[in-house]
Amino acid sequence: MKKYSEMTKEELLTLKAALDEQFKVEEAKGLSLNMARGKPGKAQLELAMPMLDVLQSDSDMNTLLGNDTRNYGDLDGIGECRYLMADMMEVHKDNVIVCGNSSLNIMYDTVARSYCFGVNGGTPWCKLDKVKFLCPVPGYDRHFKITEQFGIEMINIPLGEDGPDMDMVEQYVNNDPAVKGIWCVPKYSNPTGISYSDETVRRFAALKPAAEDFRIYWDNAYCMHHLYDDDQDQILNILEECEKAGNPDMVYIFCSTSKISFPGSGVAAIASSINNIDHILKLMTVQTIGHDKINQLRHCRFFKNKDGLIAHMKKHGDILRPKFEAVVNTLEAELGGLEIGSWIAPKGGYFISFNSMPGCAKRIVALCKELGVVMTGAGATYPYGKDPEDSNIRIAPSFPSPEEMEMASAVFVLCVKIATVEKLLSEM
Amino acid sequence: MKKYSEMTKEELLTLKAALDEQFKVEEAKGLSLNMARGKPGKAQLELAMPMLDVLQSDSDMNTLLGNDTRNYGDLDGIGECRYLMADMMEVHKDNVIVCGNSSLNIMYDTVARSYCFGVNGGTPWCKLDKVKFLCPVPGYDRHFKITEQFGIEMINIPLGEDGPDMDMVEQYVNNDPAVKGIWCVPKYSNPTGISYSDETVRRFAALKPAAEDFRIYWDNAYCMHHLYDDDQDQILNILEECEKAGNPDMVYIFCSTSKISFPGSGVAAIASSINNIDHILKLMTVQTIGHDKINQLRHCRFFKNKDGLIAHMKKHGDILRPKFEAVVNTLEAELGGLEIGSWIAPKGGYFISFNSMPGCAKRIVALCKELGVVMTGAGATYPYGKDPEDSNIRIAPSFPSPEEMEMASAVFVLCVKIATVEKLLSEM
């Protein structure tokens, strides 16, 4: 097939007529599909159901240290769960607080604490004229919503295949004391699926922040979420690298089992230097008496250890792989060589990121909606919901079945073609 | 026995010698008892163990509306749990958000939201020079810790047998726009055990706050926690009364099942006007994707409805009653008529509040500690940990066994006597 950009007006008009016919055919199907939501499918949820059997009315409810999980106590989480989450994050148990069900909530609270009380005794951000965060884009909309709610100015940083543009990151962080943080999804990034290279991680660790209270918000949401057993991304340990570089307090790591056990009923944790953890606990002791320790125990008894997590996540990968491949194969078969869009075939995570020609993303999403396929809103992957190029679309293949993903992908590529032809014609 | 205040120096010295002998006898026992912690005893925890059996690997995990509790969604809580918590709080389901495991955390977040973003779009408290809260005393130390952490000035309001001194409350609330809130435990108050009279509740509802963003923080922690089936306190519905009085948005109600199912693994909720609830949800949607809905479902399947809660709490009352009576009986038998202390025999809740003669509380707690009986620190029931009279001591009878409570109470009254005699002698 000829590249669209090389077509004459007549060729484009002929193509458009054919695409419009296809559109009518799809429209007549009355589809109702959803590629918007990064939530596990039913088959994945079933994998964790036996977890509900491990604690019953006759179970021993004590931790290994003999603490009764049914009563108050253990603000920083029960010992065995701190070990489990520490292993997941590849840090020491003492660097971990296990919290409630949501790592997003931990990130929110971490920003909120900094806003109200300052970082480790520094000036509360609410007393400053200006606070800025760096936002690698495309990125996770819920990160951006947090910083937006607190009135923090967000600065776009292009995300490449090795991670954020580190020249820009260094330029901002090392020179502007108003820059207090950067949102990172270092492994199987949301939404592009890329993982940070060793050089990227080392350059992060070697930052010389102008602001003493600058922190890296390292959301390792997909640390266990591989699609291919024999081809997994590995990232360097940021906490270790920061220590080595003389910046031991510079990173907060977040993770959870939301997409391992149950979304909403998992356990979430934060890891950081002992110094940071102590400051967090000192404030946290006023916020709550403790988190759900029975659910922590349930997770420990079910998964047992990191090997248990790995074995479990292999099953998730087996379920997700065909869904991802259905999308990627359709993109390659239908759009390959046309130069009207680009994407990366991810090796893990929850998303596929698609870049259309500039100015087409909103139109593509609108066309998909007309055909009954709901996509994440165009722009959602950028701060303030504004994609300056109107180009990026996040595809979430996890919830529908592989067959539904095939149908939805067929609709998607059709809409990409139509929107692109419309754009090219409008510019002639 | 003669009143201590009527004793001569010689009589007091003789008494002291006898008490010192008793002290040595108790000391030799090497006791290790705890009357400090408002946590349920093991027998109470056992009551909820069958709750762990209601959801198993073959269970239907859908809500009555067909939503899968295992996946993301239902930010305001699953429908049936909103009903259950609404019934507990005697409000409508639509006025309720069911959150995580901790009502304290909801209170903290409610204050934090007001501090960062203002109440319903009002000026954020962090932008104000001065914010004040009224604190009925003696009260709950963890309430006071929250307002202290946010730098909110706390004003003591005496708590009588009908509730806070409403003349003072009206004086402050209706005239000082810096007064933004008041902490209330309206039923079986922590620590005195009193419940607010109908007149008190009506006067609360009829407040004419100088500050538009003034709210009543109504912590109905012990709404279900009766000791006597046939002699229960009832309080007026504050949300209804506020509506009637033309102040529909003036109250936030908090409650949880922490001392009904499991401390740390219960469900907590907030109730308020639809207007307030909408504002909270709008901010909360950035903080979290949702709370633990599987645990909400577990609670609904186990308790079924309010009758289930009532039947369950009757069993708690049966366990707690002898412990409370062991303390109250000892106080009456040993201190009755001496006029060296006062207390109220509570009909519910988790505490007994004791008032010594002024200047004795710290000494009593210290003496108890020497004999191996840990009490809540004197002063803890006051803002900033400062009891101006050094008089109030909170007794928590729930955790030890009735026999242990008897032993601990005997130690306590001995220490009260010794501290009082010391004080009277020092003033001669």
Side-chain angles (χ1 to χ4, degrees):
Chain A
M1 186 101 188
K2 202 171 178 179
K3 291 179 195 169
Y4 281 25
S5 58
E6 292 171 358
M7 286 188 183
T8 64
K9 185 167 183 176
E10 287 63 39
E11 285 172 318
L12 284 171
L13 284 169
T14 309
L15 175 59
K16 183 166 190 312
L19 294 171
D20 286 346
E21 281 308 306
Q22 281 184 49
F23 188 88
K24 279 179 201 158
V25 172
E26 291 295 332
E27 201 170 24
K29 290 182 184 168
L31 296 176
S32 175
L33 299 167
N34 193 310
M35 296 208 290
R37 303 167 78 180
K39 53 195 262 188
K42 276 205 180 290
Q44 290 172 271
L45 302 174
E46 291 298 332
L47 295 175
M49 285 303 283
M51 179 186 280
L52 298 179
D53 299 333
V54 299
L55 292 183
Q56 305 208 355
S57 53
D58 57 353
S59 295
D60 171 15
M61 299 297 286
N62 283 2
T63 66
L64 293 172
L65 287 174
N67 297 345
D68 193 334
T69 56
R70 303 170 302 177
N71 222 327
Y72 295 117
D74 280 324
L75 174 64
D76 48 6
I78 64 170
E80 48 260 61
C81 203
R82 291 177 75 196
Y83 271 111
L84 184 69
M85 299 306 279
D87 281 351
M88 226 173 111
M89 293 187 277
E90 297 174 338
V91 300
H92 190 275
K93 184 209 91 173
D94 293 343
N95 295 100
V96 172
I97 307 171
V98 185
C99 299
N101 71 326
S102 160
S103 58
L104 188 75
N105 205 146
I106 307 179
M107 293 178 229
Y108 182 96
D109 283 358
T110 306
V111 171
R113 274 190 294 267
S114 306
Y115 186 84
C116 297
F117 314 117
V119 176
N120 295 10
T123 307
W125 295 351
C126 66
K127 304 296 181 196
L128 299 175
D129 288 333
K130 178 70 88 182
V131 174
K132 302 175 188 170
F133 257 58
L134 306 184
C135 300
V137 288
Y140 180 32
D141 56 341
R142 286 181 175 271
H143 287 161
F144 305 153
K145 292 276 186 204
I146 291 174
T147 25
E148 184 174 359
Q149 189 173 87
F150 284 93
I152 294 169
E153 184 182 318
M154 293 180 279
I155 297 163
N156 293 357
I157 304 287
L159 183 75
E161 297 208 17
D162 289 329
D165 179 329
M166 290 308 294
D167 291 340
M168 270 182 84
V169 170
E170 287 163 356
Q171 182 65 26
Y172 275 110
V173 173
N174 296 353
N175 293 294
D176 186 349
V179 172
K180 304 295 190 189
I182 179 167
W183 289 118
C184 295
V185 183
K187 192 164 167 183
Y188 303 135
S189 155
N190 176 351
T192 73
I194 65 98
S195 298
Y196 291 12
S197 69
D198 291 354
E199 193 202 336
T200 297
V201 176
R202 286 202 188 96
R203 284 178 74 176
F204 263 112
L207 287 169
K208 300 283 167 233
E212 210 179 323
D213 53 354
F214 169 84
R215 295 289 184 274
I216 302 163
Y217 293 71
W218 197 258
D219 181 4
N220 210 350
Y222 307 109
C223 54
M224 311 288 297
H225 299 65
H226 314 284
L227 288 171
Y228 300 94
D229 216 32
D230 53 355
D231 186 13
Q232 303 184 352
D233 286 353
Q234 300 295 340
I235 57 168
L236 277 186
N237 184 318
I238 183 72
L239 194 60
E240 270 179 24
E241 294 300 321
C242 282
E243 277 166 19
K244 278 190 226 164
N247 285 318
D249 295 337
M250 199 170 59
V251 64
Y252 298 125
I253 304 173
F254 308 93
C255 84
S256 83
T257 70
S258 290
K259 294 190 181 80
I260 295 177
S261 56
F262 297 115
S265 303
V267 292
I270 179 170
S272 198
S273 67
I274 301 289
N275 188 32
N276 289 344
I277 290 292
D278 284 348
H279 274 88
I280 292 169
L281 280 175
K282 216 175 75 184
L283 293 168
M284 194 186 274
T285 190
V286 173
Q287 183 176 18
T288 183
I289 303 177
H291 300 98
D292 185 344
K293 300 188 301 298
I294 292 182
N295 202 35
Q296 292 176 14
L297 186 67
R298 187 179 285 120
H299 277 70
C300 293
R301 296 264 173 94
F302 181 66
F303 289 116
K304 292 186 176 68
N305 51 38
K306 192 174 177 184
D307 285 342
L309 286 171
I310 291 169
H312 190 80
M313 290 314 291
K314 188 172 170 346
K315 298 180 202 164
H316 276 269
D318 290 342
I319 294 171
L320 287 172
R321 199 165 46 248
K323 301 184 182 189
F324 275 76
E325 290 180 349
V327 178
V328 171
N329 291 343
T330 305
L331 292 174
E332 279 171 8
E334 291 292 324
L335 303 181
L338 300 184
E339 294 188 359
I340 63 172
S342 61
W343 61 92
I344 299 167
K347 293 192 280 178
Y350 256 67
F351 302 103
I352 297 163
S353 176
F354 181 85
N355 283 316
S356 67
M357 289 180 75
C360 291
K362 281 200 174 110
R363 178 65 180 150
I364 293 167
V365 170
L367 286 167
C368 284
K369 197 178 172 190
E370 283 183 44
L371 296 183
V373 174
V374 178
M375 309 292 302
T376 306
T381 53
Y382 281 74
Y384 313 106
K386 285 181 198 156
D387 174 359
E389 298 275 308
D390 185 27
S391 160
N392 187 255
I393 298 173
R394 187 183 84 166
I395 302 171
S398 57
F399 194 66
S401 69
E403 296 70 33
E404 288 172 328
M405 275 320 297
E406 260 177 52
M407 285 192 282
S409 301
V411 165
F412 178 74
V413 294
L414 173 62
C415 295
V416 171
K417 289 176 184 172
I418 293 174
T420 311
V421 169
E422 284 175 355
K423 177 196 151 80
L424 292 172
L425 282 170
S426 76
E427 287 169 354
M428 278 176 167
Chain B
M1 187 100 189
K2 203 170 176 180
K3 291 177 195 169
Y4 281 25
S5 59
E6 292 170 358
M7 286 187 183
T8 63
K9 186 167 182 177
E10 287 64 38
E11 286 173 317
L12 285 170
L13 284 169
T14 308
L15 176 59
K16 183 165 189 311
L19 295 170
D20 286 347
E21 281 307 307
Q22 282 184 49
F23 189 89
K24 280 180 201 157
V25 172
E26 292 295 332
E27 202 172 23
K29 291 181 183 167
L31 296 176
S32 174
L33 300 166
N34 193 311
M35 296 208 289
R37 303 168 79 179
K39 52 193 263 189
K42 277 207 180 290
Q44 289 172 271
L45 302 175
E46 291 298 332
L47 295 174
M49 285 303 284
M51 178 185 281
L52 297 179
D53 298 331
V54 301
L55 292 183
Q56 303 208 356
S57 55
D58 57 354
S59 296
D60 171 15
M61 300 296 286
N62 283 3
T63 66
L64 294 172
L65 287 174
N67 297 345
D68 193 333
T69 56
R70 303 170 301 177
N71 222 327
Y72 293 117
D74 281 322
L75 174 64
D76 47 7
I78 64 171
E80 48 260 62
C81 202
R82 292 176 74 195
Y83 271 111
L84 184 70
M85 300 305 280
D87 281 351
M88 227 173 109
M89 293 187 276
E90 299 175 336
V91 299
H92 188 276
K93 184 209 91 174
D94 294 343
N95 295 100
V96 172
I97 306 170
V98 185
C99 300
N101 71 326
S102 160
S103 57
L104 188 76
N105 205 146
I106 307 179
M107 293 178 230
Y108 182 96
D109 282 359
T110 306
V111 171
R113 274 189 295 267
S114 307
Y115 186 85
C116 298
F117 314 119
V119 176
N120 295 9
T123 307
W125 295 352
C126 67
K127 304 297 181 196
L128 299 175
D129 287 334
K130 177 71 87 179
V131 174
K132 302 175 189 171
F133 257 57
L134 305 184
C135 300
V137 288
Y140 180 31
D141 56 340
R142 285 181 176 270
H143 288 161
F144 305 152
K145 292 276 185 202
I146 291 174
T147 25
E148 184 175 357
Q149 189 172 85
F150 284 93
I152 294 169
E153 183 183 318
M154 293 180 277
I155 298 164
N156 292 356
I157 304 287
L159 183 75
E161 297 208 16
D162 290 329
D165 180 329
M166 291 308 295
D167 291 340
M168 270 182 83
V169 170
E170 287 164 356
Q171 182 64 26
Y172 276 111
V173 173
N174 296 354
N175 293 293
D176 186 348
V179 172
K180 303 296 189 190
I182 180 168
W183 289 118
C184 294
V185 184
K187 192 165 168 182
Y188 303 135
S189 153
N190 176 352
T192 73
I194 64 98
S195 297
Y196 291 11
S197 69
D198 291 355
E199 193 202 337
T200 297
V201 177
R202 288 203 186 95
R203 285 178 75 177
F204 262 112
L207 286 170
K208 301 283 169 234
E212 210 180 322
D213 53 355
F214 169 83
R215 295 289 183 274
I216 302 163
Y217 293 71
W218 197 258
D219 181 4
N220 209 351
Y222 306 110
C223 55
M224 310 290 294
H225 299 66
H226 314 284
L227 288 172
Y228 300 95
D229 215 33
D230 54 355
D231 186 15
Q232 302 185 353
D233 287 352
Q234 300 295 342
I235 57 167
L236 277 185
N237 184 318
I238 184 72
L239 195 59
E240 272 179 23
E241 294 300 320
C242 282
E243 277 167 17
K244 280 191 223 166
N247 285 319
D249 294 338
M250 199 170 60
V251 63
Y252 298 125
I253 305 172
F254 308 93
C255 84
S256 84
T257 71
S258 291
K259 293 190 182 78
I260 295 177
S261 55
F262 296 114
S265 303
V267 292
I270 180 171
S272 199
S273 67
I274 300 290
N275 188 32
N276 288 345
I277 291 292
D278 284 350
H279 273 89
I280 292 169
L281 280 175
K282 216 175 76 183
L283 292 169
M284 194 186 276
T285 190
V286 173
Q287 184 176 18
T288 182
I289 303 177
H291 300 99
D292 185 343
K293 299 188 302 299
I294 292 182
N295 202 35
Q296 292 177 14
L297 186 68
R298 186 179 287 118
H299 277 71
C300 294
R301 297 264 172 95
F302 181 66
F303 289 116
K304 294 188 174 67
N305 51 38
K306 193 176 176 182
D307 285 342
L309 286 171
I310 291 169
H312 190 79
M313 290 314 291
K314 189 172 167 347
K315 298 180 202 164
H316 276 269
D318 290 341
I319 294 171
L320 287 172
R321 200 165 45 248
K323 301 184 182 189
F324 275 75
E325 290 179 349
V327 178
V328 171
N329 292 343
T330 305
L331 293 174
E332 279 170 9
E334 291 292 325
L335 302 181
L338 299 185
E339 294 188 358
I340 62 172
S342 62
W343 60 91
I344 299 167
K347 295 193 280 178
Y350 256 67
F351 301 103
I352 298 163
S353 175
F354 181 85
N355 282 318
S356 68
M357 290 179 74
C360 291
K362 282 202 174 109
R363 178 64 180 151
I364 294 168
V365 170
L367 286 167
C368 284
K369 195 176 173 191
E370 283 183 44
L371 296 183
V373 174
V374 178
M375 309 291 302
T376 306
T381 54
Y382 281 74
Y384 312 107
K386 286 181 197 156
D387 174 359
E389 298 276 307
D390 185 27
S391 160
N392 187 254
I393 298 172
R394 187 182 83 166
I395 301 171
S398 57
F399 193 66
S401 69
E403 296 68 35
E404 289 172 326
M405 276 318 297
E406 261 176 53
M407 286 191 282
S409 302
V411 166
F412 178 73
V413 292
L414 173 63
C415 296
V416 171
K417 289 175 184 173
I418 293 173
T420 312
V421 170
E422 285 176 352
K423 176 195 152 79
L424 291 171
L425 281 170
S426 77
E427 288 169 352
M428 279 178 166

